[in-house]
Amino acid sequence: MEYRAFGKTGLKVSRVGLGAWQFSDAWGVMDYDLAKKTIAAALEAGINFIDTAAVYGRGTSETHVGKALRELRAREGTVIATKVPGDLLRAGDVVKAARKSRERLGVDVIDIMQVHWPPCWYNVPTCEYMKALEGLVKEGVIRYIGVSNFPVKLLEEARQCLSTTDVVSTQNRYNLIEREAEKELLPYAERNGIQVIAWSPLAKGLLTGKYNPDDLPRFSDVRANDPLYAPDNVRQIMRLVQALREIGDKHGRTPGQVALNWLIKAGVIPIPGAKGPEQVISNAASVGWSISDDEARRLAEISDSLNISYVTW
Ligand SMILES: NC(=O)c1ccc[n+]([C@@H]2O[C@H](COP(=O)([O-])OP(=O)(O)OC[C@H]3O[C@@H](n4cnc5c(N)ncnc54)[C@H](OP(=O)(O)O)[C@@H]3O)[C@@H](O)[C@H]2O)c1
């Protein structure tokens, strides 16, 4: 495994992390033993960065992650990032939610507390929740503050609310198909030393190449109504998967590993979710080698040529 500096924090994290949304009803891994085996395999492969959130199974994911790290005696050396929901951003709720997350994780301090999404519907002033988070840093409940799904302007405003600390990371949807983050966010993050974390780095499994547009399973998980899985979109995405396969063949890697490597090469930290040890072991092998500049460009060009639409009904 290779490690990199996490923004300006001084933390060293593996170049690929583990997404723990899978340990919830949304993806179906509710069984603690399977979650623990998956986490154990991640640690064994050198992954030391785990992303979870209060809303993942309403605490199930945090509880599983915390318990597994305790039982595997791996809390020390593992960086845990969790999230306070965008619905709970009134100052008092931020404090209460963070304490509950800390309790579920069973840790003294949460390494990175991210605002899961901005308070889109509730008009909570930005400085109200950012200052509440800053208070939690001072109190030692959390170590660092991150945001997720913030547009650049709001991220900038959020940073201006802080006087003794800064936002260290931004977590956004970013994969070879969905690249909106490249327009404003990535350049801003780069200029400001803010770490970008890529969620859905495998486009929820599509970039692994295991799904065929003519034989799509009937998903009963978060993908049931995901527009990316509309047959017209999947059909187009297969062109990209074909290129991932060809490049992967040259490097002795799978399409999914190439898709993750493309993100890693760009300096972001992908956090692929895994439903079992085999998947996490495979995802860890996206590190330690690199596609060439030409290969990266070829993938970006094919991606540019896709005409994906979310208007599917
Ligand atoms: N901040 C946010 O708002 C936000 C939003 C979404 C996600 N996230 C975070 O990002 C993480 C990852 O995103 P995601 O779960 O949406 O999607 P993802 O990582 O793109 O895809 C995960 C899915 O792909 C399949 N998969 C993973 N590794 C595989 C492998 N090696 N071989 C074959 N299939 C594999 C699995 O599903 P199947 O086996 O069923 O195909 C798995 O559930 C989450 O766990 C969460 O921590 C954050």
Side-chain angles (χ1 to χ4, degrees), residues 123-180:
N123 310 106
V124 182
T126 310
C127 285
E128 178 172 334
Y129 56 89
M130 292 310 290
K131 282 187 188 304
L133 286 166
E134 192 167 41
L136 288 168
V137 173
K138 281 190 196 131
E139 233 187 283
V141 177
I142 65 176
R143 199 167 274 150
Y144 296 107
I145 302 169
V147 296
S148 178
N149 306 316
F150 276 45
V152 163
K153 284 212 170 84
L154 190 58
L155 165 52
E156 188 136 64
E157 185 182 317
R159 293 179 67 204
Q160 279 162 8
C161 299
L162 304 173
S163 51
T164 55
T165 182
D166 196 359
V167 171
V168 301
S169 59
T170 172
Q171 185 178 139
N172 297 76
R173 184 177 71 181
Y174 188 35
N175 58 57
L176 251 172
I177 306 165
E178 300 168 300
R179 296 166 53 206
E180 287 71 25

Side-chain angles (χ1 to χ4, degrees), residues 18-23 27 29 50-53 56 61 81 83 114-117 147-149 171-175 197-211 217 219 221-223 226 229 254 256-257 260 270-284:
L18 171 67
W21 186 19
Q22 275 56 26
F23 311 146
W27 283 94
V29 183
I50 302 183
D51 178 75
T52 180
Y56 296 166
S61 173
K83 313 186 192 80
Q114 306 157 103
V115 180
H116 204 151
W117 62 88
V147 296
S148 178
N149 306 316
Q171 185 178 139
N172 297 76
R173 184 177 71 181
Y174 188 35
N175 58 57
I197 303 166
W199 64 254
S200 285
L202 292 169
K204 297 197 168 74
L206 268 181
L207 293 174
T208 64
K210 68 183 179 186
Y211 293 116
F219 291 109
D221 56 28
V222 288
R223 294 171 288 194
D226 192 320
Y229 275 83
T254 65
Q257 289 164 347
L260 294 174
I271 44 167
K275 290 166 76 176
E278 307 75 29
Q279 291 189 350
V280 83
I281 290 165
S282 169
N283 296 340

